[in-house]
Amino acid sequence: MSEKRQDYISWDEYFMGVAKLAGLRSKDPNSQVGSCIVSPDNKILSIGYNGFPRGCSDDVFPWSREGDELDTKYFYVTHSELNAILNYRGGSLEGSKIYVSLFPCNECSKAIIQSGIREIIYDSDKYGDTPAVIASRKMLDAAGVHYRRYIRSGRELKITV
Ligand SMILES: Nc1nc(=O)n([C@H]2C[C@H](O)[C@@H](COP(=O)(O)O)O2)cc1CO
Ligand SMILES: [Zn+2]
């Protein structure tokens, strides 16, 4: 009898992989962020990446980081986590977890808390010492939303599309 495959990907690799794959859809030249929301029994409920709201053209709205505030992306871009929450049309996200390639900002943490997501698994924390992320952790701690850093397996996943 043939044995089962041994090199299948773990749940964490699978969901973080899906989050990162979604991030590849982002048009942001600097940070491509992806999110994947997962039910307590490991079903994918929703996916998102950072981009401008529907109707706000990627070719018209600005992608710059600096300059006049109104000419930077920050007023306009929807973060991957919020997009994943808003993309979900199935009812409640209560008790779910979110895999995200970058630690959530304060605004996304508000949405995460209020939508009932109970755990965050993040990869990069490159803005961890900014006020937005410090405020974010404050709220998550107060609300009892757990967060843990994704432990990279270092495995390269190769798919041909
Ligand atoms: N958690 C996050 N999720 C996100 O989707 N973003 C998005 C907003 C911007 O499009 C981009 C950050 O741009 P930059 O400041 O690294 O050039 O990533 C940012 C954060 C950071 O908190
Ligand atoms: Zn955010």
Side-chain angles (χ1 to χ4, degrees):
M1 200 178 70
S2 114
E3 299 290 317
K4 74 169 182 181
R5 263 183 75 222
Q6 295 298 332
D7 63 344
Y8 57 91
I9 56 174
S10 68
W11 285 120
D12 266 9
E13 287 173 317
Y14 177 39
F15 299 131
M16 188 55 82
V18 167
K20 289 187 173 187
L21 184 65
L24 297 182
R25 281 280 309 150
S26 177
K27 319 302 181 304
D28 191 317
N30 193 56
S31 295
Q32 302 82 42
V33 188
S35 291
C36 177
I37 303 178
V38 178
S39 73
D41 57 346
N42 288 331
K43 290 177 186 144
I44 292 177
L45 300 177
S46 191
I47 296 172
Y49 58 89
N50 53 324
F52 296 133
R54 208 173 291 165
C56 302
S57 167
D58 292 321
D59 301 313
V60 174
F61 281 76
W63 281 115
S64 35
R65 312 179 73 222
E66 283 154 14
D68 188 313
E69 268 189 319
L70 282 173
D71 296 328
T72 73
K73 63 187 168 186
Y74 295 108
F75 275 148
Y76 311 109
V77 77
T78 307
H79 290 191
S80 74
E81 304 93 307
L82 187 60
N83 262 334
I85 290 168
L86 297 173
N87 284 342
Y88 184 59
R89 299 297 156 91
S92 173
L93 291 175
E94 215 71 50
S96 62
K97 46 196 174 178
I98 185 166
Y99 286 76
V100 57
S101 58
L102 180 58
F103 197 95
C105 74
N106 59 312
E107 290 299 331
C108 289
S109 281
K110 293 176 197 174
I112 287 169
I113 293 166
Q114 292 302 74
S115 64
I117 295 172
R118 301 301 298 163
E119 188 182 11
I120 299 165
I121 303 95
Y122 63 96
D123 184 35
S124 167
D125 193 19
K126 66 177 176 175
Y127 297 132
D129 52 8
T130 62
V133 177
I134 293 167
S136 185
R137 283 196 300 267
K138 262 193 194 181
M139 288 186 282
L140 296 169
D141 289 343
V145 173
H146 298 277
Y147 45 90
R148 65 175 164 94
R149 189 163 201 159
Y150 173 72
I151 298 167
R152 288 190 185 186
S153 65
R155 180 163 19 185
E156 277 199 12
L157 303 179
K158 197 172 158 200
I159 48 175
T160 305
V161 293

